[in-house]
Amino acid sequence: MNAYALLSAISALALALALALVSFPPLTTTPIPPPLQYWLTKPRESPPDLIVKNGVIFTSDASFPLADSFSVKDGKIHRVGNYSSIQGLEGDGTRVLDLEGKVVVPGFIDSHVHLIFGGLQMGRVELRGVDKKDEFVRRVKEAATNLGQGSWVLGGGWNNNLWGGEQPEASWIDDVSPHNPVWLSRMDGHMGLANSVALKLSGIDSSSENPNGGTIVKSAQGEPTGLLIDAAMKLVLTSIPEVSVEERREAMLRASNHALMRGVTTVVDVGRYFPGASVEHSWEDLSDVYQWADSSGKMKIRVCLFFPIETWSRLIDLIRKTGRRLSDYIYLGGVKAFADGSLGSNSALFSEPYIGEPHNYGLKVTDLEHLFNMTATSDNFGLQVAIHAIGDRANEIILDMYELVASKNGERDRRFRIEHAQHLSPGTATRFGEQRIIASVQPDHLLDDAFSTAKKLGADRAEKGSYLFRTLLTSNAQLALGSDWPVADINPLRSINTALKRVPPGWENAWNPSECISLSHALIAHTISAAHACFLDNVLGSLTPGKLADFVILSANSLDALEEGSASIVATYVAGEQAYP
């Protein structure tokens, strides 16, 4: 082919290519497939507010039990996992907290407290741990001396078992409080001591009769000793001036700080509601204290509130207007009632009598027919019901009642609760699992009761039926741990240690060691199970993405240190912000 022919061929090929490019659209106009277009146009996710890394993180989430890092965004858990999966999320405004190997757990939930009452008690005569009569009297004298004549001396926390079992009497303190009425509640809240001035003010004398559900303790000569049990306490309580709104607000803030110091970020508050106390207190505290604190930005911990069962209709009306969640800090839980008294006051209801008291089986502090009707009605309207039951007979009665109510009102997720469930007859623990009853228990109570239970019930009953935590768990019951503060102090780490070891002060061995539970069970019972026990497990209780970022940093570098009881609280976070120290 000559040069001219070659040039002509090249020109023809170039023309063909040009025509082809004109005939077909350029590649850049081809539509991008939708998934690829999404990723190319998707805005970059904003970074988390906080990354917590390099720790031993117990999540209380069964799907991802342990991690070493997590992120927090907008007050909620963002992601949980290994640091390699989280470090790329960091942005300019992200704070990074290096745990340096420390243990983190979800914020502890205390399943049973009297929060404002506990805060009030912190400013009154403190008799917890007093083990001598002389010290008991000295503290009352000091308080009376510091108050003006006529002012009430209030306090409590005494435990007569610590000084040998002798019950205090008005005569102990009359000489040191001649011009002041005195009221000192026992540690369990089911018995109190009044001096003679308080008895006179309250109209209690030798002719006074026991009210239903209560006892005025009298001497052999028929004179009141000063001790009042359960419903009889109302005779004095109604004479005590109402606590001011300012005092209750200060008490709540003081109590909240105390809870945070112990790693507690949520409490189930059963209120200033004891046998003999006014049912109005819980409602006054909701409006005067909690809603005030919430609206003014002063809430520090989350509260799930339970109200006296007598006021069930008022709670239904409120929930219909507001729902259960008033805010991220205030939740409406349900209603609470009492079946019996307490072991320490010899008023817990048992199937057999107390040792040395052949006619004393304890007290039914609420009429059972009335209690059944209120329980059935509350449940029928969808309210959660929690009933205090300590003695074995009281627990049987409430289990029977719950079973009948569930049968009457039909199947649903109701999460009935028994508060305390301390003493159970053989086979009763199994019923908790079968009926799906929440056992809201307080391990630290056994530290006090261990010294006296055998004396009151006999060694066999005490050993086989008291604080059956492991038996309840193996019966598929759900445990929710708490303190009953101020009956026992808010202290989840000690509560967990007690549930693990069951060794009372001064003892070398465990009380009924077969009932010890594992560390994981105890942590779960103070976190996600406690949240489930009050219908808050969808927002609290575990370090799960989407839940509120409440967590606690411990001094330990391994979970083993928790078992040894050597861990302490380093910091407490609420909604991803440091709340303590």
Side-chain angles (χ1 to χ4, degrees):
M1 180 179 294
N2 59 31
Y4 178 79
L6 178 60
L7 182 60
S8 298
I10 292 173
S11 299
L13 178 60
L15 180 60
L17 288 172
L19 290 172
L21 289 173
V22 172
S23 303
F24 295 96
L27 290 175
T28 54
T29 64
T30 301
I32 300 173
L36 180 59
Q37 186 179 48
Y38 170 77
W39 286 110
L40 289 173
T41 59
K42 177 189 176 185
R44 186 177 184 274
E45 183 182 9
S46 60
D49 305 308
L50 174 68
I51 289 178
V52 181
K53 68 176 186 177
N54 189 25
V56 179
I57 299 168
F58 185 92
T59 68
S60 289
D61 185 336
S63 66
F64 202 107
L66 293 173
D68 65 31
S69 303
F70 63 90
S71 57
V72 175
K73 186 175 179 181
D74 299 328
K76 297 180 180 180
I77 300 297
H78 178 232
R79 293 191 189 176
V80 181
N82 298 320
Y83 183 56
S84 59
S85 66
I86 292 175
Q87 60 180 340
L89 302 174
E90 185 177 343
D92 291 339
T94 303
R95 294 172 289 129
V96 178
L97 174 60
D98 188 346
L99 295 171
E100 299 179 342
K102 290 184 176 63
V103 173
V104 166
V105 297
F108 290 119
I109 300 172
D110 192 313
S111 292
H112 187 115
V113 302
H114 307 268
L115 191 69
I116 293 174
F117 182 73
L120 290 169
Q121 191 70 10
M122 291 174 75
R124 295 174 175 176
V125 181
E126 179 57 74
L127 297 172
R128 186 195 310 275
V130 171
D131 58 2
K132 293 182 177 60
K133 173 183 175 180
D134 290 347
E135 179 61 14
F136 184 104
V137 174
R138 187 196 70 78
R139 295 193 185 191
V140 175
K141 179 181 180 179
E142 181 181 23
T145 301
N146 292 332
L147 292 170
Q149 289 190 15
S151 297
W152 279 82
V153 176
L154 302 173
W158 57 268
N159 179 5
N160 50 302
N161 296 320
L162 296 183
W163 58 72
E166 180 187 3
Q167 292 184 336
E169 297 185 355
S171 59
W172 285 23
I173 55 176
D174 280 345
D175 289 345
V176 299
S177 57
H179 307 297
N180 298 85
V182 178
W183 175 250
L184 307 167
S185 58
R186 192 181 186 277
M187 56 170 294
D188 52 32
H190 289 264
M191 177 191 286
L193 175 68
N195 69 349
S196 294
V197 177
L199 291 173
K200 185 175 181 179
L201 277 175
S202 305
I204 300 172
D205 56 28
S206 58
S207 64
S208 299
E209 297 183 356
N210 292 331
N212 290 332
T215 302
I216 301 170
V217 179
K218 296 181 179 180
S219 67
Q221 292 73 39
E223 295 297 324
T225 68
L227 287 174
L228 304 173
I229 300 175
D230 285 311
M233 296 190 296
K234 185 176 183 179
L235 301 174
V236 166
L237 292 176
T238 53
S239 300
I240 299 174
E242 284 292 323
V243 184
S244 71
V245 172
E246 289 72 22
E247 286 178 291
R248 287 184 281 132
R249 289 175 177 176
E250 290 174 4
M252 189 276 292
L253 296 175
R254 186 163 54 238
S256 298
N257 287 331
H258 184 61
L260 289 169
M261 182 178 68
R262 295 297 170 79
V264 173
T265 56
T266 301
V267 299
V268 175
D269 183 13
V270 293
R272 292 185 294 140
Y273 179 49
F274 299 95
S278 170
V279 299
E280 294 301 317
H281 287 163
S282 297
W283 290 97
E284 292 165 355
D285 290 341
L286 169 63
S287 58
D288 295 343
V289 181
Y290 289 123
Q291 290 182 309
W292 161 81
D294 196 38
S295 63
S296 56
K298 296 181 183 295
M299 286 296 292
K300 299 181 178 183
I301 62 173
R302 308 186 199 281
V303 294
C304 181
L305 305 176
F306 275 68
F307 298 83
I309 198 169
E310 294 91 337
T311 64
W312 59 266
S313 62
R314 198 185 315 184
L315 182 57
I316 289 168
D317 290 342
L318 179 58
I319 290 175
R320 283 174 174 168
K321 294 176 183 176
T322 66
R324 285 192 65 227
R325 176 186 171 277
L326 300 187
S327 73
D328 278 343
Y329 286 90
I330 304 175
Y331 302 86
L332 304 176
V335 291
K336 189 209 171 186
F338 290 89
D340 65 346
S342 71
L343 180 73
S345 301
N346 286 24
S347 58
L349 184 63
F350 286 94
S351 301
E352 299 178 36
Y354 287 83
I355 300 297
E357 299 183 48
H359 301 294
N360 182 16
Y361 291 79
L363 291 174
K364 298 176 185 176
V365 299
T366 308
D367 177 78
L368 294 183
E369 182 178 359
H370 184 49
L371 181 58
F372 171 80
N373 289 334
M374 290 189 296
T375 299
T377 304
S378 299
D379 177 74
N380 191 49
F381 280 96
L383 295 179
Q384 187 180 17
V385 180
I387 300 181
H388 163 119
I390 287 182
D392 59 15
R393 182 61 188 139
N395 277 276
E396 290 173 353
I397 288 171
I398 300 308
L399 287 167
D400 288 343
M401 186 178 295
Y402 281 162
E403 186 174 32
L404 187 57
V405 169
S407 175
K408 178 177 183 288
N409 290 344
E411 184 69 21
R412 70 175 180 86
D413 182 11
R414 45 178 44 91
R415 304 185 201 182
F416 279 145
R417 297 169 56 121
I418 290 185
E419 305 301 310
H420 311 305
Q422 287 179 4
H423 306 281
L424 306 177
S425 54
T428 303
T430 303
R431 295 186 60 187
F432 278 78
E434 292 172 346
Q435 295 178 221
R436 292 180 291 174
I437 306 299
I438 305 292
S440 171
V441 300
Q442 300 78 40
D444 280 352
H445 284 347
L446 74 82
L447 301 179
D448 299 307
D449 285 355
F451 297 92
S452 60
T453 304
K455 296 177 183 178
K456 293 173 181 285
L457 305 182
D460 188 60
R461 288 165 64 193
E463 183 76 11
K464 293 180 179 179
S466 301
Y467 296 94
L468 304 183
F469 301 152
R470 187 169 184 177
T471 299
L472 284 164
L473 282 173
T474 56
S475 299
N476 294 320
Q478 187 162 2
L479 291 187
L481 297 190
S483 65
D484 200 10
W485 189 61
V487 176
D489 194 14
I490 293 180
N491 195 340
L493 289 180
R494 190 180 71 173
S495 173
I496 287 169
N497 189 257
T498 300
L500 266 61
K501 297 179 180 178
R502 298 174 65 97
V503 180
W507 290 36
E508 293 184 1
N509 301 312
W511 180 25
N512 196 357
S514 64
E515 292 299 329
C516 294
I517 64 175
S518 70
L519 174 63
S520 61
H521 279 136
L523 285 171
I524 290 293
H526 242 315
T527 54
I528 188 62
S529 286
H532 178 268
C534 56
F535 284 94
L536 292 179
D537 46 316
N538 60 328
V539 292
L540 295 171
S542 64
L543 300 179
T544 301
K547 291 190 178 183
L548 293 166
D550 300 348
F551 59 93
V552 181
I553 303 174
L554 304 179
S555 61
N557 288 91
S558 72
L559 292 173
D560 292 340
L562 271 72
E563 293 203 47
E564 296 163 3
S566 59
S568 60
I569 306 296
V570 171
T572 305
Y573 283 71
V574 177
E577 298 293 333
Q578 188 170 339
Y580 168 84

